Amino acid sequence: MPRGRRGRAGGTVRPAPVPGGESEPGVVVRPGDPARRAAFEVLRAVDEREAYANLTLPGLLRQRGITGRDAALATELCYGTLRALGTLDVILARSSNRPLARIQPPVRDALRLGAYQLLYTRVPPHAAVSSTVALVRAERGDRATGFANAVLRRVAERDLSDWLDQVTPPEPVAALAVRHAHPQWVVRAFADALDGDLDEVAAALAADNQRPTVHLVALAGRIEPDALAGQVSGERGRYSPYAVYLAEGAPADVPAVARRLAGVQDEGSQLVALAVLAAPVSGEDRRWLDLCAGPGGKAAVLGALAGQRDAEVTAVEVAAHRARLVRGATVGLPVRVVQADGREVGEHPDLPAGGFDRVLVDAPCTGLGALRRRPEARWRRTPEDLAALTVLQRQLLAAGLRAVRPGGVVGYVTCSPHPDETVAAVDSVSDEFGDAATRLDARPLLPGVPGLGPGPAVQLWPHRHGTDAMFLAVLRRLR
């Protein structure tokens, strides 16, 4: 159970696990504090424009010259507040004399930021309250400051543990949703994927709330993993032979990344791409297809290995801007980028039916497997998103099976553990192709990785493997 601070009467401040990462102790807050102002402005951009925090915040920090401890604090407060949003809103609703929907959006975001500091960090209560009131005053004038001050003082009367005891509903899924700050539909999806084991569901949800380690990939033939680890004073990955964990700093500042000798890629993504190349094929093995290639991370891994195996990768991406990203990620590698709809196999001249020995279908999905890296995503996605995505996923997997020749293999990948996007999609397409295709046991293709599930598909998890929750199924075309 996460532990917050004691109420103002309790005196001592206790350390608290923070969804956004390590807390910043003993911060003295000044009105107009740049770290809090930056975090607040990103919260507003996420709310108003559906911005992505992981893209917006770094640019804002660079633009304003916010570095060091201030940058670390802004990052923690921004990402942590977004991850904990659902739980914060339940507590704020109990602390306010008006519904959250009737609170002006800038004031509501400021209250979320203040409540996060009170409940999840070691920032002193007076500093959390005063800095939030200063933000409210700057945004809405003095009239709103009394309301903000009163709400936050009510929040500060209990620590996080006490608040959770007050607001947690009795129903198990709803309780997990509040205690671990996830929408209920996501909790249910995790429960379905984990065979209803609610203790493990809780562990998976808790892992989503931890700051993820940045994973790098050493591109085969361009830099040795040990050399990359030496550049960043990092550790080699646990499972992928090409993975390196970045100890600190920005990936863009790593010389090997800047020179395209290495890239930024979750170790789980590396593992599933490598597994597709490890699956046995009969006959030739020179024509590889990445059917949904943007933004190009897996295409670069495939291309680097293709260069060592006398193979070529056709990387397909339907969106022009993402196709440009793929080209940038694969410069100098044996990768041909085609801007096309991956479902056009057999119709597009660069996508002949039966024209490839290996096919990777990294299908667009809800991204529920990478919630720890995209703090606002859990609140932005809805169950209604599944309908269109699951249709597209099945169409792309079917296209992948049309694209591969008999004796070749298709790897179907999603960054989601939702059963509708994983096993149900594979079941549906397998039924469509009947005895023309068969499923392979993917578990031996990830040697040394434990806890992969009952097979034949593979499911990775943050709480088990320290990776994103990547799903992989491998199919062989028979005729």
Side-chain angles (χ1 to χ4, degrees), residues 394 397-402 428-437 475 477 479:
R394 287 157 173 76
L397 177 52
L401 283 168
R402 294 197 305 273
S428 174
V429 177
S430 293
D431 290 345
E432 177 186 339
F433 278 78
D435 61 3
L475 301 92
R477 185 70 189 264
R479 58 177 177 79

Side-chain angles (χ1 to χ4, degrees), residues 11-12 57 102 118 168 232 263 347 384-385 453 464 473:
T12 9
L57 180 63
R102 292 183 55 201
L118 287 168
T168 298
V232 300
E347 302 170 16
E384 288 70 32
D385 295 331
R464 289 183 185 175

Side-chain angles (χ1 to χ4, degrees), residues 116-438:
Y116 178 77
Q117 293 172 72
L118 287 168
L119 299 174
Y120 288 93
T121 79
R122 290 176 290 180
V123 173
H126 71 276
V129 173
S130 64
S131 66
T132 303
V133 169
L135 284 171
V136 171
R137 179 177 290 110
E139 291 295 314
R140 285 294 179 263
D142 288 335
R143 290 183 63 183
T145 58
F147 170 74
N149 185 69
V151 170
L152 291 177
R153 289 190 180 280
R154 290 190 196 106
V155 172
E157 289 172 359
R158 295 185 175 95
D159 68 9
L160 179 60
S161 179
D162 290 342
W163 268 116
L164 291 176
D165 288 342
Q166 289 284 324
V167 301
T168 298
E171 195 275 321
V173 167
L176 287 172
V178 169
R179 288 185 173 273
H180 295 284
H182 283 69
Q184 289 189 36
W185 75 276
V186 175
V187 178
R188 291 191 190 95
F190 282 25
D192 290 343
L194 290 165
D195 297 322
D197 185 337
L198 294 185
D199 287 338
E200 190 166 14
V201 172
L205 299 173
D208 273 351
N209 288 335
Q210 300 304 309
R211 179 186 295 171
T213 301
V214 175
H215 296 174
L216 305 179
V217 58
L219 295 178
R222 291 196 163 183
I223 188 171
E224 291 298 320
D226 284 337
L228 177 60
Q231 279 192 16
V232 300
S233 300
E235 299 179 358
R236 292 285 301 273
R238 282 189 290 171
Y239 305 120
S240 166
Y242 302 103
V244 171
Y245 302 153
L246 181 62
E248 59 183 13
D253 296 334
V254 177
V257 174
R259 296 171 56 199
R260 293 194 177 93
L261 309 178
V264 180
Q265 188 176 57
D266 180 78
E267 189 172 15
S269 293
Q270 299 176 42
L271 288 170
V272 295
L274 296 173
V276 174
L277 299 187
V281 299
S282 59
E284 272 200 349
D285 188 14
R286 299 181 59 189
R287 301 165 300 171
W288 303 349
L289 174 64
D290 185 350
L291 198 61
C292 314
K298 293 184 182 69
V301 171
L302 296 178
L305 289 165
Q308 298 190 324
R309 300 191 193 179
D310 193 26
E312 181 184 66
V313 179
T314 298
V316 178
E317 173 53 50
V318 67
H321 71 283
R322 288 171 66 85
R324 287 193 294 271
L325 293 175
V326 179
R327 291 188 184 96
T330 58
V331 169
L333 298 173
V335 177
R336 184 167 58 105
V337 180
V338 176
Q339 186 184 338
D341 188 326
R343 294 171 290 185
E344 296 176 348
V345 170
E347 302 170 16
H348 193 284
D350 293 311
L351 296 175
F356 300 92
D357 307 308
R358 297 182 188 272
V359 178
L360 171 63
V361 180
D362 184 9
C365 67
T366 57
L368 300 186
L371 296 180
R372 60 196 186 132
R373 299 190 186 278
R374 298 170 188 140
E376 70 286 323
R378 69 186 70 178
W379 312 113
R380 187 171 287 172
R381 283 294 191 189
T382 69
E384 288 70 32
D385 295 331
L386 281 169
L389 283 169
T390 53
V391 170
L392 177 61
Q393 289 157 0
R394 287 157 173 76
Q395 291 172 339
L396 288 167
L397 177 52
L401 283 168
R402 294 197 305 273
V404 76
R405 63 166 175 81
V409 295
V410 175
Y412 173 75
V413 169
T414 66
C415 188
S416 170
H418 197 298
D420 287 357
E421 302 185 87
T422 58
V423 290
V426 177
D427 287 347
S428 174
V429 177
S430 293
D431 290 345
E432 177 186 339
F433 278 78
D435 61 3
T438 188

